Amino acid sequence: MATAADTVAAPRQSVRRRVSAYLFRSRRTRLTALLTLPMLWLVVIYFAAVFSLLATALFSLDSFTSAVVRTLTLANFRAVFTEPAYWRATGQTVTVAASVTVLCIALGLPMAFYMAKVAQGRSRGVLIALVITPLWASYLVKVYAWQAMVQPGNGVIAWLGKPFGLQGPGLGMVAVILTLTYLWLPYMVLPIYAGLERMPDSLLEASGDLGGRPWRTFRSVVVPLVYPSIIAGTIFTFSLSLGDYITAQIVGGKFQMLGNIVYQNYAANLPFAATIATIPVIIMVIYLALVRRTGALDNL
Amino acid sequence: MATTRLLKIAVVGAAVAMVASGCGSSSGTTDAGSGPAKPPQLPMLQTLGAGEGAINILAWPGYAENGTTDPTVNWVTPFEKATGCKANVQVANTSDEMFEKMGTGDFDVVSASGDSSLRMIYAGKVAPVNTSLLTNWNDIAPFQKEQQWNSVGGVDYGIPHGWGANLLSWRTDKVSPAPDSWSAVWDTNSPYKGKIGAYDSPTYLADAALYLMSTKPDLGIKNPYALDQTQFDAAVALATAQKPILAGYWSSYTDAQKAFENGTYLLGTSWQIIVNLAKADKTPVDSVLPKEGSTGWADTWMIDAKSPHPNCAYMWMNWITTPKVQAQVAEWFGEAPANTKACDFTVDKSHCDTFHAKDEAYFKRIWFWATPQADCLDGRTDVKCVPYSQWTQAWSQLRS
Amino acid sequence: MYLSSRARWAIRFVMVIGLAFIYVPLAVVLINSFNASTVFAWPPQQFTLHWWSDVWSNAGVRDAILTSVKIGLISTRVAMVLGGLLAFALSRYTFFGRQTLSLLVILPIALPGIVTALALRTAFRTILSVELSIWTVVIAHSTFCIVVMYNNVIARLRRMGTSLEAASMDLGADSFTTFRRVTFPLLRGALLAGGLLAFGLSFDEIVVTLFTAPPGVTTLPIWIFQNLFRPNQAPVVNVVAAALVLLSIVPIYISQRLAGDSTGGGRM
């Protein structure tokens, strides 16, 4: 039975408790404390760096000393926007990024569906592990493996396709698309898998009970629910493909992407390289702003 | 409010960025049009002291071998043993890469080719060399010193390393008759369409200009690195017309080697080392210096203006120009050694003859890489030539 | 779920094709690590164990792996703190600019690698006049690792809710004790899973590293990059890649157990 002697004494008003109480009361201090460090890092280190790189696009180059002349000018932008070759490069790069995204969805969605809804129990974990494992093989090695694979005469694809009379695609845009699809496929499968896993089976049962055939269920129930996850996956495949230059260098042959132009020019002409670099940045920012409303950013 | 704090940080950050991009190390002049530019005055080492114990070398692949490519090919480890300067060798694949990496003290020495050396000199990235500290300076043949790519106004900026020409190579089992002219790679009706390789660098436009010197003499090109706008446009047009017949462009010599070995290239521009390595892999290739002449590279060891290990740097420059080491490098890479005393030490006694190491007349037939300047390198003052930064832009456009 | 057996077989078929697509190139890498030809000629004419024994005695690869591990660990730890702080701020508080901030936070990963790489390199060398060093690499890696950690932690926080913490404080614990005893243990899984992913990203990162590393710092991807250009060294990288894949089975298994029912899959 509780007596007066059993009551617990009030905790001492130590410094720690006072601080804790203050923090509890003052939402503003808490928020400030949380945000200061990361914001300082992101803004001062990252955003400032990116901003100043893009600002360099407004400068020009002294042709003798190759030093950057810090007087504002729009000459670089004018040169890039009036030259059809750069429009072509942009178009090619966006085409590659879009193709890679579409292929990743085409292959990744069924795979994720299988893993989330058809596979049972332990095999699910095994499948996830199987999909994640290639991420640990070095990016460069995988691209070089593809370089060997796409050779028209003696590549692996040609070798496998010999009975069908298929030749390897050779170095070029097709090889770049294939390689990039290969590299980013896990980044598409995993978010979709996570989204599908969160979707209760009961919804699918209910749809079937209401008379829906599998394809109708898929179209009207699954896709709308998993749509944000798909978009989340596309953010990666799109942005990673947009800026890639190493893959294009290794398997692209004559094919060139925007990243290659930046890479070729950053040493000799930084303002010009910065101008080209603004193109994928603008594309990505627009894309992100557009997909924000789909809720994809919460599904990364 | 937390919101204003957020905004404040954002504004501060943007301001920092703008101010910072206005500050930072500003270098170089801003008046590009007031007569010939002068490289900045930089001090040179006066006396050679004790080694600092380390050296960072930026070199073309094959120039500073330390046994990792082939255990028997190693002249860096003996250098380390002899001088106590532990060498950290990094390989650069293009001149642009070299240009960008120099000038900060990250590296001590660089084996610069002509298409980056002048830029480095004018940008103040490399310091003049004190030739009295270079023990092998007098053994270097005079025709290599004081060239347009390694000296300005009589001041020497480095010690020559070696030189070679860009050669035309082909697969002897697939290409016949053996070509002897650059038309093999420029002719758009070539029977080897789609199997031709070209060098991936803006400097390749000089090769185009060189071909035009013999096919379109009325353009009046006298120096493929001194092109006025008309001449430049013609070179770009030629290179653009070539694109469809190419298999691809190579920048790393192992890519070219692989391409010749697996048949992607049947013909193309190459270096002797590519041919040597392919032959060692039992691929039937051969090479020739075509009758129109060729572009080439004459490399110079230069010292970084902010080199943290200047003594080791000079020790390296002295080491790499000794006859024995010169012989090793020259045979491994396939070039003519700068120090002709090396000819006595080559394994293949006819090496120097094959590479015309002592042949001044042959040297003068090669158009060594140089950095195009607005002040024409061929001395013309009535026109402005196209400077290198525009070569790079044109090249990017072409490649797109 | 009801699926006609035809539909079932169709999906299974695509799954098999997908897995084949993923593993054929890896098999090529593995086979090429025994290929005697230095230019990856296919099909391999001769087999050799030479490359495997080469790597074993190669000091360069050992140093490279150590450097990569060091950078990865430091970056992951920095990212845990900063990403965690951000996740708390953005999930539990509403403030003006929150939506914009949640978009901006993703930029280090969403913007093309070469832009980040070039921006940081120029910032370090030209604006701050700082020499490149292992710390510039760490700073660069931490920046994108923050995004990974942020995403993992915020997903967990959203599912966690605040009721447990409120209950703890009702019972008399102060904020710090609550965090230590209640919040942190609940977050541990997400932190570790995110940490493993962040480490994996940092370990394989090449573009930003190439631009921010000084000549003396060689991470594993840089070592691979340099060796792929050496005429007779290229096959060694196949060995390294094959070994990495085999060795990664353990961390992957661990991360799977920790993630439990996914804390948010994907790259994050």
Side-chain angles (χ1 to χ4, degrees), chain A residues 235-264:
Chain A
I235 293 180
F236 294 128
T237 58
F238 201 72
S239 88
L240 290 169
S241 308
L242 211 58
D244 192 277
Y245 71 94
I246 294 188
T247 305
Q249 256 179 357
I250 298 176
V251 297
K254 287 185 281 181
F255 182 71
Q256 208 172 234
M257 296 183 23
L258 285 174
N260 295 98
I261 305 184
V262 175
Y263 182 70
Q264 281 161 3

Side-chain angles (χ1 to χ4, degrees), chain A residues 11 16-17 19-21 23-24 27 30-31 33-35 37-39 41-42 45-47 49-50 52-54 56 70 106-107 110-115 117-118 125 127-142 144-149 154-156 159-160 178 181-182 185-187 190-191 193-194 197-198 201 204-205 208 212 214 217 222 235-236 239-240 242-246 259 262-263 266 270 273-274 277 280-281 284-285 288-289 292 297-300, chain C residues 1-4 7-8 11-12 14-15 17-19 21-26 28-29 32 40-43 78 81-82 85-86 88-90 93-95 99-116 118-124 126-127 138-139 142-143 146 151 158-159 169 172-177 180 196-197 199-201 203-204 206-207 210-211 221 224-225 228-229 237-238 241 244-245 248-249 251-252 255-256 261-268:
Chain A
R16 192 171 116 165
R17 287 206 78 89
V19 172
S20 164
L23 282 176
F24 184 76
R27 179 182 166 276
R30 263 181 299 153
L31 187 56
L34 283 175
L35 278 182
L37 221 51
M39 283 299 289
W41 182 287
L42 277 181
I45 294 182
Y46 183 71
F47 291 130
V50 174
S52 65
L53 174 71
L54 301 182
T56 313
R70 290 184 172 85
L107 199 52
M111 281 175 74
F113 190 81
Y114 182 89
M115 284 157 59
K117 296 297 171 200
V118 181
L127 285 173
I128 298 179
L130 281 178
V131 169
I132 296 183
T133 308
L135 292 178
W136 283 85
S138 153
Y139 164 90
L140 281 170
V141 175
K142 286 186 280 195
Y144 267 95
W146 271 92
Q147 189 197 52
M149 281 173 60
N154 47 10
V156 174
W159 184 69
L160 286 172
L178 281 175
T181 308
Y182 175 77
L185 186 61
Y187 297 136
L190 293 174
Y193 168 79
E197 218 212 349
R198 276 197 286 271
D201 281 356
L204 301 170
E205 307 275 353
T217 308
V222 177
I235 293 180
F236 294 128
S239 88
L240 290 169
L242 211 58
D244 192 277
Y245 71 94
I246 294 188
V262 175
Y263 182 70
Y266 84 90
L270 185 60
V281 170
M284 263 332 282
V285 170
L288 281 176
R292 182 169 52 167
L297 296 182
D298 298 329
N299 278 280
L300 288 168
Chain C
M1 163 178 164
Y2 171 71
L3 268 179
S4 71
R8 220 174 256 276
I11 295 191
R12 202 167 277 157
V14 176
M15 186 72 202
I17 297 278
L19 283 177
F21 181 63
I22 291 180
Y23 280 93
V24 164
L26 290 182
V28 170
V29 168
N32 267 330
F40 308 159
W42 190 272
V78 170
V81 171
L82 294 174
L85 289 174
L86 261 179
F88 268 99
L90 284 166
Y93 301 83
T94 43
F95 49 90
Q99 291 286 46
T100 324
L101 186 57
S102 65
L103 196 147
L104 289 177
V105 163
I106 303 181
L107 283 184
I109 287 217
L111 288 185
I114 188 165
V115 173
T116 310
L118 203 50
L120 286 173
R121 183 183 176 89
T122 322
F124 286 138
T126 328
I127 299 177
V138 168
I139 292 176
S142 304
T143 312
I146 289 178
N151 265 278
R158 283 195 182 123
R159 258 196 294 271
M169 298 186 90
D174 61 42
S175 313
F176 305 107
T177 314
R180 192 165 49 96
L196 268 167
L197 265 161
F199 183 82
L201 274 182
F203 199 71
D204 194 30
I206 179 74
V207 177
L210 270 176
F211 279 73
I224 293 178
F225 188 70
L228 280 170
F229 285 130
V237 304
N238 285 326
L244 275 176
V245 170
S248 68
I249 294 181
I252 289 177
S255 83
Q256 278 310 105
D261 62 327
S262 55
T263 53
R267 198 170 189 221
M268 308 294 174

Side-chain angles (χ1 to χ4, degrees), chain C residues 66-255:
Chain C
L66 267 167
T67 312
S68 281
V69 167
K70 210 170 18 167
I71 293 179
L73 284 176
I74 302 178
S75 309
T76 308
R77 247 176 297 196
V78 170
M80 268 189 202
V81 171
L82 294 174
L85 289 174
L86 261 179
F88 268 99
L90 284 166
S91 69
R92 299 257 171 101
Y93 301 83
T94 43
F95 49 90
F96 177 74
R98 180 175 145 217
Q99 291 286 46
T100 324
L101 186 57
S102 65
L103 196 147
L104 289 177
V105 163
I106 303 181
L107 283 184
I109 287 217
L111 288 185
I114 188 165
V115 173
T116 310
L118 203 50
L120 286 173
R121 183 183 176 89
T122 322
F124 286 138
R125 287 181 29 167
T126 328
I127 299 177
L128 299 171
S129 296
V130 162
E131 261 183 38
L132 294 182
S133 69
I134 195 169
W135 296 108
T136 52
V137 183
V138 168
I139 292 176
H141 282 220
S142 304
T143 312
F144 60 75
C145 286
I146 289 178
V147 191
V148 177
M149 292 303 314
Y150 160 80
N151 265 278
N152 265 277
V153 175
I154 205 173
R156 191 79 186 87
L157 283 174
R158 283 195 182 123
R159 258 196 294 271
M160 204 164 83
T162 49
S163 47
L164 282 169
E165 289 162 13
S168 156
M169 298 186 90
D170 284 343
L171 287 170
D174 61 42
S175 313
F176 305 107
T177 314
T178 306
F179 182 77
R180 192 165 49 96
R181 294 286 211 63
V182 178
T183 322
F184 186 73
L186 285 171
L187 281 180
R188 227 194 334 240
L191 283 173
L192 269 163
L196 268 167
L197 265 161
F199 183 82
L201 274 182
S202 158
F203 199 71
D204 194 30
E205 216 290 323
I206 179 74
V207 177
V208 177
T209 321
L210 270 176
F211 279 73
T212 51
V217 170
T218 311
T219 61
L220 188 62
I222 293 187
W223 183 87
I224 293 178
F225 188 70
Q226 288 171 346
N227 275 279
L228 280 170
F229 285 130
R230 298 192 134 114
N232 298 331
Q233 287 299 99
V236 179
V237 304
N238 285 326
V239 174
V240 173
L244 275 176
V245 170
L246 294 172
L247 284 172
S248 68
I249 294 181
V250 172
I252 289 177
Y253 178 68
I254 295 179
S255 83

Side-chain angles (χ1 to χ4, degrees), chain A residues 90-106 173 176-178 180-181 184 188 233-243 255 257 283-284 287:
Chain A
T90 309
Q92 279 173 341
T93 310
V94 173
T95 309
V96 167
S99 316
V100 170
T101 305
V102 165
L103 282 174
C104 279
I105 295 180
M173 184 159 147
V176 172
I177 293 180
L178 281 175
L180 289 176
T181 308
W184 315 139
M188 176 64 82
T234 64
I235 293 180
F236 294 128
T237 58
F238 201 72
S239 88
L240 290 169
S241 308
L242 211 58
F255 182 71
M257 296 183 23
I283 297 178
M284 263 332 282
Y287 190 72

Side-chain angles (χ1 to χ4, degrees), chain B residues 141-336:
Chain B
F143 63 80
Q144 295 182 51
K145 299 188 269 201
E146 260 109 68
Q147 290 295 321
Q148 63 181 1
W149 57 83
N150 59 21
S151 72
V152 174
V155 180
D156 297 294
Y157 280 86
I159 187 165
H161 164 92
W163 52 277
N166 289 322
L167 303 168
L168 173 62
S169 298
W170 69 93
R171 284 284 296 260
T172 49
D173 55 336
K174 300 256 167 63
V175 176
S176 82
D180 69 340
S181 156
W182 282 116
S183 61
V185 302
W186 295 109
D187 179 11
T188 44
N189 295 318
S190 165
Y192 309 104
K193 246 197 269 230
K195 297 256 176 218
I196 299 180
Y199 186 56
D200 192 359
S201 162
T203 317
Y204 193 65
L205 291 171
D207 291 63
L210 178 70
Y211 188 62
L212 289 174
M213 277 167 77
S214 47
T215 53
K216 291 216 180 108
D218 39 292
L219 275 173
I221 303 178
K222 296 279 172 281
N223 179 335
Y225 303 97
L227 303 175
D228 62 38
Q229 198 60 51
T230 330
Q231 297 164 337
F232 184 68
D233 292 339
V236 173
L238 181 62
T240 314
Q242 185 199 39
K243 210 171 148 194
I245 62 169
L246 292 177
Y249 296 86
W250 61 272
S251 54
S252 145
Y253 74 105
T254 45
D255 286 341
Q257 178 202 344
K258 262 193 256 181
F260 273 108
E261 287 189 22
N262 63 29
T264 312
Y265 294 170
L266 295 179
L267 274 172
T269 311
S270 70
W271 299 337
Q272 189 65 45
I273 188 168
I274 296 171
V275 178
N276 293 350
L277 287 169
K279 277 191 184 158
D281 272 350
K282 315 262 187 303
T283 314
V285 282
D286 205 356
S287 59
V288 76
L289 184 78
K291 58 187 190 209
E292 295 93 354
S294 185
T295 50
W297 27 268
D299 298 334
T300 316
W301 285 102
M302 300 188 157
I303 180 169
D304 193 307
K306 296 200 182 124
S307 164
H309 313 107
N311 292 322
C312 278
Y314 272 84
M315 289 182 192
W316 170 259
M317 289 197 281
N318 289 334
W319 174 265
I320 194 75
T321 48
T322 53
K324 271 229 190 100
V325 180
Q326 281 269 295
Q328 281 183 285
V329 186
E331 283 198 287
W332 171 249
F333 195 79
E335 57 179 6

